[in-house]
Amino acid sequence: MQIRARTRSASAACSGCGSVSERVHSRYERRLSDTASAGREVLIRLTVRRLFCDNADCAKTTFAEQVPGLAARYARRTTVLERVLCAVGLALGGRAGARLTWHLAASVSRMTLVRMVRAQSDPDRPTPRVLGVDDFALRRGHRFGVSPPQNDRAGSMHHHNLAGCRPTPIRKARCSRPPQWYRLPLWSPRSSPDRAAP
């Protein structure tokens, strides 16, 4: 399904300086993919005007008008479709999300979904008041390290005030004596008590 559209306003504001202009330089067509309608893929063919900027101090001689809320600059998909594809990529990932978009009549490749997910900004998280500490071994029995958790869920489990504590740096350590079970003799047919003497 194709939709042909154009703007109805006589003037547009320059994206560089914000001055309003009505002098048209040229026109061109943008092709924007939109969410499906009745199971059909929707393509918006938007006619965009390029206008002259009358401000002498502006660095731009001409500028293209933008439709706020419809699509971002240089985008090939509408804002609504971008949000839908980002939600699919965050929920399912690359391959499974690409298979689902085929049923949504907005098929994209798996790498497109991965790029869209990576382009998203990290969510703002509050600073945790309480930090838990997790020990891990870089090499079993030889090197150990300490790392704080990546989220603040540990704050609901511990009620101690650890604000004055300093993080422990990674240190080297060697076991002075192996555990007792390391020194147990291995079983063999000769050492078995059930083996009858010849």
Side-chain angles (χ1 to χ4, degrees):
M1 181 183 299
Q2 295 187 8
I3 300 175
R4 294 185 179 272
R6 62 180 179 86
T7 57
R8 300 178 59 182
S9 59
S11 60
C14 177
S15 58
C17 61
S19 61
V20 179
S21 175
E22 296 183 357
R23 293 200 303 145
V24 178
H25 174 271
S26 59
R27 290 178 174 86
Y28 66 96
E29 187 179 74
R30 292 182 63 180
R31 299 164 61 91
L32 302 172
S33 298
D34 199 6
T35 53
S37 176
R40 297 181 179 180
E41 185 177 355
V42 177
L43 180 65
I44 300 177
R45 304 172 72 99
L46 178 65
T47 302
V48 181
R49 299 177 300 172
R50 180 170 291 276
L51 298 94
F52 288 99
C53 182
D54 297 329
N55 188 3
D57 298 332
C58 183
K60 293 186 177 181
T61 307
T62 61
F63 64 93
E65 63 177 347
Q66 302 295 327
V67 181
L70 180 62
R73 298 183 63 184
Y74 308 110
R76 296 186 177 181
R77 302 179 186 90
T78 60
T79 306
V80 178
L81 183 58
E82 289 278 348
R83 289 199 299 263
V84 171
L85 294 179
C86 285
V88 171
L90 288 172
L92 299 178
R95 295 184 184 276
R99 290 193 294 266
L100 179 60
T101 57
W102 186 83
H103 295 284
L104 297 177
S107 59
V108 294
S109 65
R110 61 183 181 89
M111 293 308 301
T112 300
L113 290 177
V114 171
R115 285 193 298 268
M116 294 175 67
V117 170
R118 289 178 178 176
Q120 297 295 313
S121 59
D122 295 333
D124 296 332
R125 297 183 179 271
T127 303
R129 294 177 302 172
V130 178
L131 286 178
V133 177
D134 185 18
D135 296 333
F136 66 94
L138 298 175
R139 183 182 176 188
R140 183 175 177 181
H142 292 274
R143 300 185 65 183
F144 299 90
V146 177
S147 66
Q150 299 297 325
N151 51 25
D152 56 347
R153 293 183 180 178
S156 61
M157 301 171 57
H158 304 280
H159 301 282
H160 304 288
N161 186 10
L162 303 178
C165 296
R166 293 179 296 179
T168 305
I170 295 177
R171 61 187 184 278
K172 292 184 178 180
R174 290 188 176 275
C175 295
S176 58
R177 188 175 183 181
Q180 187 71 21
W181 64 273
Y182 275 115
R183 295 184 296 170
L184 295 176
L186 297 177
W187 180 87
S188 64
R190 295 180 178 273
S191 62
S192 176
D194 298 334
R195 180 180 174 85

